[in-house]
Amino acid sequence: MAEEYEPSPVESAIIRRIMMTHPDLLSQYGPEAVFNAARDEAEWVGDVDEIGSSDVSGWVKNVAR
């Protein structure tokens, strides 16, 4: 059986912010490209103890680029 993918807390925060405040990115680039970029950003960030709003804003800007 295939394992179900579970996003990291960082990836979840990025995707949640994009879905709530930047749906234009999803329509412009498609969900797959945006989610892949969010996953790449989250992997680069790694594990964190806390996720602040300004952190998420920066990560979303990187995904948008």
Side-chain angles (χ1 to χ4, degrees), residues 11-34:
E11 183 179 347
S12 294
I14 294 169
I15 291 171
R16 189 176 315 109
R17 176 73 61 88
I18 288 171
M19 291 176 69
M20 298 300 290
T21 61
H22 300 285
D24 56 304
L25 290 176
L26 294 169
S27 61
Q28 184 175 359
Y29 298 106
E32 185 174 350
V34 173

